Amino acid sequence: MNTNQSTPLTRTDYKTLGLAALGGALEIYDFIIFAFFATTLSKLFFPPDMPEWLRLLQTFGIFATGYLARPLGGILMAHFADVLGRKQVFSLTILLMAGPCLLIGLMPTYADIGILAPLILLSLRILQGAAVGGEVPSAWSFVAEHAPLRHRGYALGVLQAGLTFGYLLGALTATLLARVFTPQEMLDYGWRIPFLLGGPFGLIGVWLRRWLSETPVFLAMRERQAERAAYPLLDVLRRHKATLLPAAALTCVLTSAVVVLVVVTPTLLQQRFGMHADHAFALSSVGIVFLNIGCVIAGRVCDRIGQRRSLILYSALLPVGVAVLYGSLIGGWAWPSLAYAFAGLCCGIVGVVPSIMVGMYPADVRVSGISFTYNIAYSIWASVTPLLLIAAMPWNHWICVLYCAAVALVGIFCVRSARPAREPLLDEALYQRG
């Protein structure tokens, strides 16, 4: 094996990275499309005489339940990813995500079956949450263990751009449907279309991942059975307790950027700033495009200046970008799309955190370690934050900016957890690759 860590990414590396990222994008689409149609779903799955704010709040509560279910599936699938291999978990997570998405598009509404409708919707979101809980930790580990050391930041940044591309697919779908159908047509049948698309997207994702190969790091571990942990999560809890808190805190920083930019702001654009749905979704699409670009740039920056400096830089940029975005909305500036684009670029912290977290656990327990901390922190943070921010918006229109400023301090506080520039991952003694 070539141990020259400065070797550029090869054609095979780009193929592996592209397939992993595209499959992840299709899976994230299936998960996030619910958020873009939260306003419509709130009218279809709850009593019509319920106050609008309460219907919307309960709909986001069901959306948040998908996050709460992440640890359930994530911890279980992470065990098999560490024991049986990273690749096998990939196809399973997509199937678990696509099936419920398709069923949501086919299910009856409150007008048809009453209180059973929101209960069924809740059950399907729990299944989706379990699936996405296994996707992200496996994807990070898979890509990190395939990429050369000096290009891992860039590779993980591209992967994150692929995952966030799923948000863009959702935003573009919502924008198109809002322009093609009237509000009444959306309530009648149009809302089903994006969920029905989730089934074929899932099958495409499974087919794409047939062409992936297992990571060299895992193959090397499989040859050393005696040195591997039989129960990876127990090993994490015994030997890596000091890593759990900073890893969870970093997850909260990443989560905050996604929640504010992708989940909360599109809803507030309609609810608090009076934008039509298609305009709000179009603006959101611009922000997500530049979030994708920002992840790739952040990954490259991480390789160039090191994880610690990158974490400080992008933690500081997060509230700056969100402040410009909400300043444009509150002040009624002429070009809110430019502000949304700038905010997307400043959310590059989404591309920095994965590079730090894959280096916090050794290879034999990596997926379990990431999954345990990432999914528990993400589930709590992402389920509570949208509800709190939406509820607090009438009190202060700058609440998202203040929130991101507080989160930035958390990111800077975690800087000691990041590896210095050029320091190898914990599994480099086991396997080195160019």
Side-chain angles (χ1 to χ4, degrees), residues 23 25-27 29-30 94 98 169 173 194 196-206 208:
L26 297 178
E27 183 169 357
Y29 165 89
D30 285 356
I94 291 185
L169 283 178
T173 301
L196 295 176
L197 288 174
F201 281 176
L203 293 177
I204 293 171
V206 172
L208 287 173

Side-chain angles (χ1 to χ4, degrees), residues 24-73:
L26 297 178
E27 183 169 357
I28 293 299
Y29 165 89
D30 285 356
F31 184 76
I32 202 64
I33 194 67
F34 189 103
F36 287 105
F37 289 89
T39 303
T40 301
L41 294 175
S42 69
K43 299 175 182 177
L44 293 166
F45 286 90
F46 293 96
D49 56 347
M50 182 180 289
E52 181 181 356
W53 68 269
L54 184 56
R55 290 202 307 261
L56 185 62
L57 196 63
Q58 292 197 59
T59 303
F60 264 100
I62 292 179
F63 173 74
T65 304
Y67 288 117
L68 291 173
R70 290 177 73 140
L72 172 68

Side-chain angles (χ1 to χ4, degrees), residues 61-398:
I62 292 179
F63 173 74
T65 304
Y67 288 117
L68 291 173
R70 290 177 73 140
L72 172 68
I75 291 172
L76 180 63
M77 284 185 273
H79 173 82
F80 292 109
D82 280 329
V83 174
L84 301 178
R86 316 324 193 189
K87 178 185 173 182
Q88 295 187 39
V89 174
F90 268 2
S91 296
L92 177 60
T93 59
I94 291 185
L95 287 174
L96 286 176
M97 179 66 71
C101 188
L102 179 64
L103 290 175
I104 290 174
L106 295 172
M107 69 175 290
T109 64
Y110 186 90
D112 300 314
I113 59 174
I115 192 63
L116 285 177
L119 293 177
I120 295 173
L121 187 63
L122 177 64
S123 300
L124 294 174
R125 283 298 295 175
I126 289 173
L127 289 176
Q128 287 192 312
V132 80
E135 166 68 18
V136 175
S138 298
W140 287 359
S141 300
F142 185 88
V143 168
E145 292 175 4
H146 267 291
L149 171 62
R150 299 211 176 176
H151 299 282
R152 277 179 175 146
Y154 172 71
L156 286 165
V158 172
L159 173 66
Q160 285 297 93
L163 294 176
T164 55
F165 184 72
Y167 300 137
L168 179 61
L169 283 178
L172 291 176
T173 301
T175 303
L176 177 63
L177 292 177
R179 291 182 177 178
V180 170
F181 298 111
T182 65
Q184 187 57 47
E185 289 172 335
M186 285 299 301
L187 287 170
D188 291 341
Y189 60 88
W191 69 272
R192 297 183 183 273
I193 296 174
F195 295 99
L196 295 176
L197 288 174
F201 281 176
L203 293 177
I204 293 171
V206 172
W207 179 78
L208 287 173
R209 286 182 173 175
R210 288 180 55 221
W211 307 102
L212 293 173
S213 58
E214 187 54 82
T215 74
V217 170
F218 183 82
L219 293 176
M221 283 195 306
R222 192 159 60 185
E223 296 175 2
R224 302 167 53 166
Q225 292 281 349
E227 299 184 19
R228 294 170 57 197
Y231 299 99
L233 180 57
L234 293 179
D235 197 58
V236 169
L237 296 177
R238 282 197 302 259
R239 295 173 46 209
H240 304 282
K241 288 183 287 188
T243 305
L244 299 179
L245 182 58
L250 285 170
T251 298
C252 292
V253 178
L254 180 154
T255 306
S256 299
V258 174
V259 164
V260 170
L261 193 76
V262 179
V263 178
V264 172
T265 301
T267 300
L268 293 178
L269 289 176
Q270 301 171 67
Q271 187 187 47
R272 296 296 172 188
F273 295 101
M275 285 190 185
H276 190 269
D278 64 337
H279 189 196
F281 293 144
L283 277 180
S284 176
S285 299
V286 171
I288 297 170
V289 167
F290 282 88
L291 172 61
N292 296 341
I293 296 170
C295 285
V296 177
I297 294 173
R300 184 66 79 185
V301 169
C302 205
D303 287 332
R304 293 291 180 88
I305 69 174
Q307 295 176 356
R308 292 180 176 177
R309 292 177 180 174
S310 300
L311 181 57
I312 294 172
L313 173 64
Y314 279 99
S315 294
L317 284 176
L318 174 60
V320 173
V322 175
V324 170
L325 171 59
Y326 276 84
S328 72
L329 296 174
I330 296 169
W333 299 353
W335 299 97
S337 57
L338 291 179
Y340 221 138
F342 180 72
L345 288 176
C346 289
C347 286
I349 191 71
V350 176
V352 172
V353 169
S355 295
I356 299 172
M357 289 188 65
V358 295
M360 296 174 76
Y361 300 97
D364 60 334
V365 298
R366 175 167 295 138
V367 185
S368 293
I370 295 174
S371 181
F372 181 74
T373 50
Y374 177 85
N375 282 313
I376 289 179
Y378 202 114
S379 65
I380 296 172
W381 214 250
S383 60
V384 173
T385 301
L387 302 178
L388 293 179
L389 291 179
I390 290 173
M393 192 65 178
W395 170 70
N396 190 330
H397 283 186
W398 294 94

